[in-house]
Amino acid sequence: MTRTYISHHPLDGLLPLEPGIRAVDHLDVPRAVAIASVMAMEGEEASVTAGLAASGDISVRFAGPGEWLALSRSETPDSLERALSLLLAETAYVFEQSDGRVVFRLSGPNVRRILAKGIATDLHPGSFEIGTSSNVLCGHIGVNLARTGENEFELIAMRSFAVALFDDLRVMGREFDLSAGFSTLG
Amino acid sequence: MASLIHCPHCGIRPKEEFSIRGDASLVRPDPAASDEAWNDYVHIRSNPRGRYHEHWQHGAGCRRWLVVERDTFTHEVFSVTDAASVARKAGR
């Protein structure tokens, strides 16, 4: 028997398809982001770090010693995995994770006060600088948090936790009238 | 309970991100060791008041096993080290 699998976003049905009115604090959910997980082979951590730093428009998130998540908005999942496998051949294991993770982008002037309701880590601009990323606990859900701009953070969660995390983020942002929608950039 | 742990990989983190897995000073006996030695290793635990080396796993962070040296009475944390480097230093 052949089955046709249709790829759909876990928040389909929870978010309107058309962009609505955007509040100052906004939760943006990009639909298509290529994500790959990279694990350095033993003793190769430094060369993988250097290789990832030279990888151009691929955004790299720290997930643990010798472990990263690589994100790209321009590459397809397959081409990202291929590019990383070529770049890091013999030094790291690369696994495609695009359908396994969901990206949330939270931005606005109150973003730290919203995140403080779920995350106990210090996010002060002086201690969590732009480009910093780390795995943290948001409520009861482990996420990878990265600061991508002055008042912009990205959370990457496991797909099966996406709906629960989305509900949590909505409750956390209700005080600030947080709006949410799929990213207009795709 | 110490409420903030300084993870060597992730920085200062709340204790909720960790799971505690007990005494870190135990050394696994030789497979051919006596039943008493194995019984002690598997079942017998002390419950000290004061300084204690404990295995903590940073499950919600870097997922590494850490050795936390802390005081069970004052909750003071003296040191946090990656368990792999502790084992390497001990020649295991």
Side-chain angles (χ1 to χ4, degrees), chain B residues 77-92:
Chain B
V77 177
F78 301 105
S79 72
V80 184
T81 336
D82 192 290
S85 65
V86 172
R88 223 168 280 138
K89 214 174 274 175
R92 275 184 271 146

Side-chain angles (χ1 to χ4, degrees), chain A residues 36-55:
Chain A
S37 128
V38 178
M39 281 183 86
M41 293 179 191
E42 204 168 340
E44 300 284 355
E45 285 84 355
S47 64
V48 176
T49 309
L52 287 172
S55 61

Side-chain angles (χ1 to χ4, degrees), chain A:
Chain A
M1 194 173 82
T2 52
R3 285 173 191 272
T4 323
Y5 290 103
I6 300 162
S7 139
H8 68 95
H9 195 277
L11 300 182
D12 274 339
L14 291 167
L15 283 173
L17 287 169
E18 298 297 316
I21 298 162
R22 204 184 153 113
V24 280
D25 295 296
H26 185 70
L27 178 64
D28 200 38
V29 183
R31 269 177 168 279
V33 184
I35 307 173
S37 128
V38 178
M39 281 183 86
M41 293 179 191
E42 204 168 340
E44 300 284 355
E45 285 84 355
S47 64
V48 176
T49 309
L52 287 172
S55 61
D57 72 332
I58 298 172
S59 147
V60 180
R61 307 288 160 81
F62 173 81
E67 209 182 322
W68 300 268
L69 285 173
L71 273 73
S72 174
R73 303 208 66 173
S74 50
E75 308 244 22
T76 64
D78 289 340
S79 70
L80 176 68
E81 193 192 7
R82 223 174 303 124
L84 286 171
S85 302
L86 273 174
L87 180 74
L88 305 169
E90 310 294 318
T91 56
Y93 307 100
V94 179
F95 296 100
E96 215 274 296
Q97 290 288 334
S98 310
D99 285 328
R101 314 277 170 137
V102 174
V103 180
F104 296 85
R105 188 176 300 120
L106 198 58
S107 57
N110 298 308
V111 65
R112 282 178 194 80
R113 293 180 64 191
I114 294 171
L115 288 174
K117 295 181 189 210
I119 295 172
T121 309
D122 185 7
L123 299 181
H124 188 275
S127 56
F128 204 86
E129 286 165 20
I130 295 174
T132 316
S133 52
S134 189
N135 284 354
V136 299
L137 201 60
C138 179
H140 290 284
I141 300 168
V143 299
N144 184 281
L145 180 77
R147 184 169 170 210
T148 49
E150 191 52 43
N151 287 321
E152 188 184 88
F153 288 84
E154 271 186 20
L155 292 89
I156 305 170
M158 298 274 187
R159 183 190 176 96
S160 51
F161 291 116
V163 175
L165 182 66
F166 176 67
D167 285 343
D168 285 355
L169 289 172
R170 284 221 133 156
V171 173
M172 283 152 68
R174 191 174 289 162
E175 180 186 343
F176 305 99
D177 209 16
L178 180 76
S179 60
F182 281 119
S183 177
T184 45
L185 297 168

